[in-house]
Amino acid sequence: MAQETSSKTKKSSGRTVRLRVHRQDGPHAPETKRVEEFEIDWHPQMNVISALMEVQRNPVTVEGKTVAPIVWESVCLEEVCGSCTMLVNGKVRQSCTALIDLLSPNGEVVDLAPMSKFPLVRDLQVDRARMFDDLKKVKAWIQLDGTHELGPGPRQSPENQEEAYPLSRCMTCGCCMEACPQVHEGSNFIGPAAISQVRLFNLHPSGKMHAAERLETLMGEGGVADCGKAQNCVEVCPKEIPLVDSIAQVSRQATKQMLFGWLLK
Amino acid sequence: MAKAASTTTESGKVRRVIVVGGGLAGLTTVIKLCEAGVPVDLFSLVPVKRSHSVCAQGGINASVNTKGEGDSPKVHLEETVYGGDFLANQPPVKGMADAAPGIVFMLDRMGVPFNRTSEGLLDFRRFGGTLFHRTAFAGATTGQQLLYALDEQVRRYETVDVEDDKGIIVRGEKMVRKFEFWDFLSIIQDDEGRARGIVAQDLKSMQIESFPGDAVCLATGGPGIVFGRSTNSVINTGTAAGSVYRQGACYANGEAIQVHPTAIPGADKLRLISESARGEGGRVWVPKDPKEKRRGKDVPEKDREYFLEDKYPGYGNLVPRDIASRELFLKCFHENKGVFNSKSGKNELEVYLDLTHIPEPTLRRKLAGILEIYEKFVGEDPYHNPMRVFPAVHYSMGGLWVDFEKSADGGLVKGSPRNQSTNIEGLYAAGECDYQYHGANRLGANSLLSCIYAGLVTGPAMATYRANLAKSSWDLSSSLFDKAEKREQQNYDAILKMDGGENPYVIHKELGDTMLRDVTIERHNGTLEKVLEKIGEYEDRYQKIGVTDTSPRANQGAQFVRHLKNMLVIARVIATGAKNRDESRGAHFKPEFKTRDDANWLRTTMALYKEDGSRSEVNFVRALDYNLCGKPLHVTDEVDISLVTPRARKYEQAGAASAAATNTKADGADGKASGKEAGASA
Ligand SMILES: Cc1cc2nc3c(=O)[nH]c(=O)nc-3n(C[C@H](O)[C@H](O)[C@H](O)COP(=O)(O)OP(=O)(O)OC[C@H]3O[C@@H](n4cnc5c(N)ncnc54)[C@H](O)[C@@H]3O)c2cc1C
Ligand code: SF4
Ligand code: SF4
């Protein structure tokens, strides 16, 4: 399939792109904290990931020093796996959809840093394990009896599907956590993503049956009441999940549960 | 005997099995194992929720027949093997087609937000290679939604306690232990060659460790990254399959690589625009005038050439992918009629995929996920502008060879330890990394299905195998595991010491460019010879790699070097298989051998690994002997065509793909026509 390859190693258009990367070898190696700059050839449809890939092929800084290739996380490159979250020019987002032409139309330096609310792994990679653990805490699943054949699931209106589907697109990317002022080292606020998952499962006809258990975990410390309603989360969510609505809804469900829980049981 | 099968050892250790890979296939396998009471260690390169399955867009097939069209598993079976140009063994395909409605219902019960009809029932759309509405979907991010549902069920098992054989809870032990950010390195084999566990590496601490397992399943996905850029995720290097192939597992039909007709050209990835776009009515065209200067949306109807609809009135824009891709290639590459770019004065390798005639609300409800991708990466509004697309490497029909046991009704024997077993006893394979279900060309929306079905089959097969195991891996000498660990540690240390002048990412790029150019839509023997020579050169250059990163933490560079080795090995399997198969069948197309040749090539390509110094070699075999549960088994490369007789494919004719099951009078449906005319459409 004779498709031309767009990224050549030799300078072609003359236009270049500068990346400034905040690096560190590991969480316990603060002495290795450094900023390195790389200059690479521009290519069409360039995004932050394809720029980082160029650096891999030639990991030499602007000072001409050969360094270790940059470490970052990525999988799907189409904003659906949630891996490649980082701070691009200070703003938390997926780096695969961060198009160089939009970030740096006139050759501005593109600044890349790891998220700050999660433990660092190395360079641009952080450890988001807590988000997956939180999904366990809130029992973000349907209590399936088994995979044996039982015919179709409960009938659902298209409206119900249309409410559930957007919530179900949360890819655990952590943008909302990074942006939320209530999520920080000194707090154990569970954060918007897990709360929104509670809304999702409490919405489902079978999921509803275990709504109380889910709400239980969100009623104590670090639960839904810790949200400060800053609404930062919803602004950064790449999947445009209505997080503030979710928090309000779950908050109402929790209040109801608190007031009448013993009656509902 | 009973001792080996007991859940805990005398000292209270839990005997587990191992599943590598947490895409749809791996997760389903895990769920089935847990339901059978078998505790599992699950390994994955990335958090399983980020597995490549998340990319799947269009949907999953099941002949639920909610539109009153007379669809049935029988039709599904026939269209699948017809679409695959008859290279698939039919019993597993039958098993899959029969199970499909149940699978979609199970997913529905798990909470997948499938689109609904006005009655609240599951909605189905059309996909390629069929005239029936058979594809269930959740917007245009179906894979994501299915993966999440299975991921949630597995997460639940992470909180479920292990019980011993008396039903007493084993403290601190859960049914599933996840090892995420771990790289599978190799299996551990005992003296009889049986798989007894694995060696893996923690990708954060870079620590190498061995893990016993009474059986091992690889569900590690496809090798798309061998082609450099494809529609695949960057982690799809095929390294795990390559590694067990080097340990003696057979690799089958490697040459069967699917090129998807409609993707967005890109520098890092060729992003897919799902077939569901055409399933919902999208039309493919080029301007009649090759020097057309107007923008796509300004070109009036009369000046457009709908070349798929013209040539294949029967299936139109929904001809199978192999045919659609060849037609696009023909238009752009040979006829030079791709979309004209007045800036460069060139005809680009692009055609239009047009949805603009469909009302925007419908598109938003059904296709928003993919249109969002187009909008974000191309920066153009696909609701009002025809999209520009070109073919891209997408899927591997080939993969690890796996066995099956046929039942009296022509499907699979439930729970047989032969199902999904590789030729290495105790090693199973499921999902895109196996070769089982799609022949020489996969139909759209059949992969999610085959992955889940394979998982549903593999779990019980492993459970049976484990119950019949004479001696558990936990009762073997620990030196077996120590030795394997040490071997892998040495391999890794050797990589860290590589200090030559070659950059592994550059070698990979060249490999990808070569494979993409010469081993995809059209294959010529002369060129393939050169490709093989080049792969040899890359293998030589591999020895001269310099590793600039020797950090003990999250060393992605060193990891990539290891993956590159396996990519080179798999590339050779693909290219050699392509060179050997002197015919055209499904996605494998040779202009020098335009027809399908059933007399000589209606057989599985079975490859075993050989080594010659630093270069790899492929040893093709016609038969294999292997042992399973104390029984010697003999298998050959003959394809089981017991259910649908091979005939020439004729997508020009509506209903040709389902003619036998629906008793339509279409040419060749009586099974008498030979394969002579196949490929003529190419
Ligand atoms: C863009 C796109 C769209 C698609 N759309 C559809 C569709 O609409 N319908 C359809 O039917 N099919 C579709 N497909 C195909 C389908 O998505 C895949 O074939 C399928 O998801 C593969 O699933 P899997 O479980 O086999 O493997 P994957 O989902 O690829 O998972 C592989 C797993 O193995 C792990 N792994 C791999 N190597 C190692 C290692 N060395 N060590 C440890 N773990 C490892 C990975 O971490 C991952 O967890 C699409 C494919 C693409 C690329
Ligand atoms: S609205 Fe709540 S969850 Fe969202 S950013 Fe603000 S405090 Fe955090
Ligand atoms: S809610 Fe949005 S921002 Fe938060 S993790 Fe999910 S997808 Fe990311």
Side-chain angles (χ1 to χ4, degrees):
Chain A
M1 192 164 53
Q3 206 184 16
E4 85 255 63
T5 51
S6 35
S7 57
K8 290 267 159 55
T9 22
K10 289 272 150 319
K11 290 206 160 70
S12 41
S13 61
R15 183 176 161 192
T16 60
V17 176
R18 236 175 210 249
L19 298 183
R20 187 193 305 128
V21 186
H22 297 257
R23 307 188 63 173
Q24 184 170 324
D25 290 351
H28 307 299
E31 72 283 0
T32 59
K33 201 177 167 100
R34 61 199 185 274
V35 177
E36 283 171 358
E37 281 198 28
F38 302 89
E39 187 166 353
I40 48 198
D41 288 336
W42 174 90
H43 56 247
Q45 295 147 319
M46 195 171 199
N47 59 50
V48 165
I49 302 269
S50 66
L52 286 169
M53 285 174 168
E54 282 295 338
V55 176
Q56 274 180 330
R57 288 181 208 118
N58 187 24
V60 179
T61 65
V62 284
E63 290 89 21
K65 195 170 138 210
T66 299
V67 294
I70 300 159
V71 172
W72 79 91
E73 244 185 275
S74 66
V75 177
C76 77
L77 307 192
E78 49 195 46
E79 206 174 74
V80 66
C81 77
S83 300
C84 66
T85 321
M86 56 183 85
L87 303 177
V88 180
N89 289 341
K91 191 177 166 277
V92 68
R93 60 172 303 170
Q94 301 314 108
S95 48
C96 64
T97 43
L99 304 182
I100 296 292
D101 283 353
L102 297 180
L103 290 169
S104 155
N106 304 305
E108 297 87 340
V109 177
V110 178
D111 188 272
L112 304 177
M115 280 192 280
S116 63
K117 302 277 176 86
F118 301 94
L120 181 78
V121 173
R122 185 178 168 189
D123 293 348
L124 302 171
Q125 188 183 1
V126 299
D127 183 353
R128 284 168 281 186
R130 74 156 280 197
M131 292 190 75
F132 296 105
D133 288 337
D134 288 343
L135 293 175
K136 276 186 223 161
K137 281 192 205 141
V138 299
K139 299 194 165 59
W141 51 68
I142 301 288
Q143 198 78 32
L144 201 77
D145 186 41
T147 55
H148 46 280
E149 295 214 10
L150 282 177
R155 274 199 190 194
Q156 282 183 60
S157 65
E159 290 71 32
N160 211 48
Q161 189 268 345
E162 279 157 36
E163 185 178 347
Y165 175 66
L167 306 176
S168 190
R169 291 180 70 197
C170 168
M171 51 189 186
T172 331
C173 67
C175 286
C176 56
M177 304 289 279
E178 179 71 15
C180 171
Q182 301 294 96
V183 173
H184 52 81
E185 243 172 276
S187 101
N188 45 21
F189 178 41
I190 194 162
I195 297 175
S196 186
Q197 290 297 298
V198 169
R199 175 185 176 196
L200 169 66
F201 287 95
N202 287 0
L203 192 72
H204 187 272
S206 340
K208 252 186 201 129
M209 298 174 193
H210 302 270
E213 287 173 48
R214 287 187 204 101
L215 293 171
E216 213 82 56
T217 39
L218 288 185
M219 286 183 338
E221 213 212 314
V224 62
D226 287 11
C227 161
K229 308 200 173 49
Q231 313 212 352
N232 296 4
C233 52
V234 79
E235 272 160 36
V236 296
C237 174
K239 296 285 113 176
E240 294 169 17
I241 295 172
L243 292 167
V244 175
D245 292 355
S246 291
I247 292 166
Q249 278 213 25
V250 170
S251 184
R252 274 200 300 278
Q253 290 177 10
T255 311
K256 220 162 117 194
Q257 162 96 355
M258 197 136 65
L259 294 175
F260 309 113
W262 55 278
L263 275 178
L264 298 173
K265 266 190 187 159
Chain B
M1 284 286 179
K3 206 167 136 228
S6 69
T7 310
T8 49
T9 65
E10 265 154 33
S11 61
K13 287 210 182 101
V14 175
R15 297 182 210 271
R16 293 174 179 269
V17 300
I18 290 171
V19 175
V20 185
L24 297 183
L27 293 175
T28 312
T29 306
V30 171
I31 293 169
K32 284 309 257 191
L33 284 163
C34 289
E35 287 186 347
V38 181
V40 186
D41 278 348
L42 172 58
F43 290 80
S44 172
L45 284 172
V46 295
V48 296
K49 196 178 175 179
R50 309 201 196 284
S51 294
H52 168 65
S53 289
V54 86
C55 287
Q57 304 170 342
I60 176 166
N61 285 336
S63 56
V64 176
N65 189 32
T66 51
K67 307 271 179 197
E69 298 166 332
D71 196 8
S72 71
K74 201 170 164 207
V75 181
H76 188 184
L77 158 70
E78 182 181 354
E79 290 184 335
T80 300
V81 296
Y82 185 95
D85 231 348
F86 295 92
L87 193 58
N89 287 306
Q90 296 176 1
V93 182
K94 175 177 161 52
M96 171 176 90
D98 287 348
I103 287 173
V104 167
F105 291 154
M106 170 190 87
L107 294 164
D108 184 24
R109 282 168 50 223
M110 285 179 182
V112 173
F114 283 119
N115 280 50
R116 303 273 158 177
T117 66
S118 52
E119 288 184 54
L121 297 171
L122 298 180
D123 200 2
F124 288 83
R125 64 172 152 223
R126 276 192 61 200
F127 244 73
T130 180
L131 301 176
F132 296 88
H133 287 76
R134 186 184 292 146
T135 308
F137 58 104
T141 61
T142 312
Q144 177 194 38
Q145 296 305 317
L146 303 196
L147 184 72
Y148 288 4
L150 298 171
D151 171 61
E152 287 148 10
Q153 295 302 319
V154 169
R155 187 167 295 109
R156 186 159 71 92
Y157 279 114
E158 276 187 277
T159 68
V160 173
D161 297 305
V162 174
E163 291 177 7
D164 70 11
D165 301 324
K166 297 192 202 78
I168 300 168
I169 287 174
V170 187
R171 284 190 50 199
E173 296 279 357
K174 304 291 177 191
M175 284 305 283
V176 173
R177 295 198 300 182
K178 264 190 202 154
F179 296 83
E180 292 173 328
F181 294 112
W182 280 74
D183 195 0
F184 164 86
L185 306 183
S186 57
I187 53 166
I188 301 169
Q189 290 173 280
D190 65 16
D191 293 341
E192 284 82 44
R194 243 177 251 118
R196 289 306 200 160
I198 69 166
V199 188
Q201 182 171 36
D202 180 335
L203 294 174
K204 287 182 203 148
S205 69
M206 302 319 276
Q207 190 191 331
I208 287 173
E209 221 180 294
S210 65
F211 295 84
D214 277 333
V216 177
C217 171
L218 286 200
T220 46
I225 298 303
V226 167
F227 292 82
R229 293 163 306 145
S230 71
T231 64
N232 281 202
S233 296
V234 292
I235 58 172
N236 289 15
T237 57
T239 185
S243 174
V244 296
Y245 165 67
R246 284 166 63 197
Q247 291 186 285
C250 175
Y251 201 95
N253 293 341
E255 66 275 19
I257 295 290
Q258 176 164 80
V259 177
H260 195 293
T262 61
I264 315 169
D268 52 339
K269 181 176 188 186
L270 308 172
R271 294 177 180 83
L272 181 75
I273 296 297
S274 163
E275 199 166 278
S276 54
R278 282 170 287 139
E280 296 294 350
R283 304 176 73 186
V284 173
W285 59 275
V286 290
K288 281 189 182 152
D289 175 6
K291 295 280 164 278
E292 178 63 72
K293 285 185 190 64
R294 287 171 291 189
R295 286 186 306 171
K297 65 172 182 185
D298 299 327
V299 177
E301 200 63 24
K302 64 169 179 36
D303 294 334
R304 302 176 173 193
E305 182 186 348
Y306 293 98
F307 55 97
L308 288 176
E309 294 169 35
D310 294 347
K311 194 155 170 185
Y312 301 93
Y315 288 76
N317 293 295
L318 285 173
V319 286
R321 292 173 180 173
D322 56 334
I323 295 178
S325 289
R326 277 197 288 277
E327 294 297 340
L328 260 75
F329 190 71
L330 186 72
K331 271 290 156 237
C332 295
F333 193 73
H334 293 303
E335 297 179 11
N336 204 20
K337 291 186 79 173
V339 175
F340 185 68
N341 180 342
S342 26
K343 261 194 223 144
S344 64
K346 270 197 328 200
N347 287 79
E348 301 286 347
L349 293 175
E350 283 169 357
V351 304
Y352 286 120
L353 170 57
D354 197 343
L355 290 168
T356 57
H357 54 288
I358 302 170
E360 194 172 326
T362 312
L363 293 179
R364 290 209 183 269
R365 202 155 43 77
K366 293 181 155 175
L367 297 173
I370 54 173
L371 299 181
E372 205 171 76
I373 292 176
Y374 192 82
E375 232 166 351
K376 283 198 173 160
F377 288 95
V378 181
E380 207 175 70
D381 165 13
Y383 296 92
H384 303 99
N385 293 286
M387 295 179 277
R388 285 166 292 133
V389 295
F390 193 69
V393 171
H394 182 58
Y395 182 85
S396 174
M397 278 73 70
L400 292 171
W401 177 88
V402 288
D403 205 354
F404 62 89
E405 187 173 347
K406 186 162 139 179
S407 63
D409 72 346
L412 298 188
V413 174
K414 285 209 168 72
S416 165
R418 279 181 77 173
N419 294 338
Q420 304 286 144
S421 164
T422 69
N423 59 316
I424 294 179
E425 182 168 18
L427 177 65
Y428 289 77
E432 190 170 335
C433 75
D434 81 35
Y435 91 113
Q436 183 91 303
Y437 297 92
H438 309 290
N441 171 55
R442 170 172 74 83
L443 291 193
N446 257 353
S447 169
L448 298 183
L449 175 63
S450 67
C451 288
I452 293 178
Y453 177 67
L456 292 179
V457 170
T458 308
M462 288 170 80
T464 312
Y465 170 77
R466 174 176 175 269
N468 284 302
L469 201 57
K471 196 168 186 184
S472 162
S473 297
W474 272 262
D475 304 328
L476 300 176
S477 143
S478 64
S479 69
L480 180 68
F481 301 94
D482 297 342
K483 252 201 288 182
E485 198 176 293
K486 208 156 151 207
R487 184 191 67 219
E488 288 299 346
Q489 186 66 50
Q490 282 165 353
N491 289 345
Y492 184 65
D493 293 343
I495 290 178
L496 290 182
K497 288 206 193 82
M498 295 176 96
D499 61 355
E502 293 281 352
N503 177 314
Y505 296 100
V506 171
I507 299 180
H508 173 241
K509 187 172 183 321
E510 291 179 30
L511 169 73
D513 288 347
T514 304
M515 294 295 288
L516 193 61
R517 194 180 51 238
D518 297 332
V519 199
T520 47
I521 296 182
E522 285 184 9
R523 296 162 166 183
H524 301 268
N525 281 343
T527 322
L528 289 168
E529 296 274 7
K530 286 189 202 128
V531 169
L532 289 170
E533 192 38 48
K534 271 196 194 147
I535 293 174
E537 286 163 22
Y538 300 140
E539 287 182 316
D540 295 345
R541 282 169 58 192
Y542 177 93
Q543 306 296 331
K544 301 189 196 108
I545 283 174
V547 171
T548 54
D549 184 357
T550 50
S551 161
R553 202 176 155 73
N555 193 326
Q556 293 180 341
Q559 181 201 357
F560 185 77
V561 172
R562 177 168 62 223
H563 286 212
L564 177 62
K565 170 88 190 170
N566 289 327
M567 282 194 270
L568 290 166
V569 167
I570 295 289
R572 186 179 288 282
V573 175
I574 295 170
T576 318
K579 201 188 119 254
N580 281 13
R581 191 177 273 281
D582 277 338
E583 64 159 353
S584 290
R585 182 186 298 273
H588 172 73
F589 175 64
K590 280 189 172 170
E592 298 149 294
F593 302 88
K594 272 205 170 67
T595 55
R596 192 175 85 200
D597 178 0
D598 282 352
N600 292 305
W601 286 104
L602 181 52
R603 56 183 169 96
T604 305
T605 304
M606 296 169 98
L608 293 175
Y609 181 70
K610 264 205 324 205
E611 217 172 55
D612 169 27
S614 65
R615 292 189 178 190
S616 64
E617 271 182 28
V618 191
N619 174 23
F620 289 106
V621 294
R622 303 288 309 260
L624 271 178
D625 290 292
Y626 83 111
N627 283 317
L628 191 61
C629 302
K631 266 192 235 118
L633 292 166
H634 179 77
V635 290
T636 71
D637 63 358
E638 194 184 329
V639 180
D640 185 322
I641 46 165
S642 51
L643 300 165
V644 186
T645 314
R647 59 183 194 263
R649 300 192 307 170
K650 291 198 166 118
Y651 286 100
E652 299 80 357
Q653 225 173 317
S658 55
T662 55
N663 286 324
T664 339
K665 259 241 148 295
D667 283 357
D670 52 10
K672 279 193 201 100
S674 71
K676 269 190 205 123
E677 282 147 287
S681 54

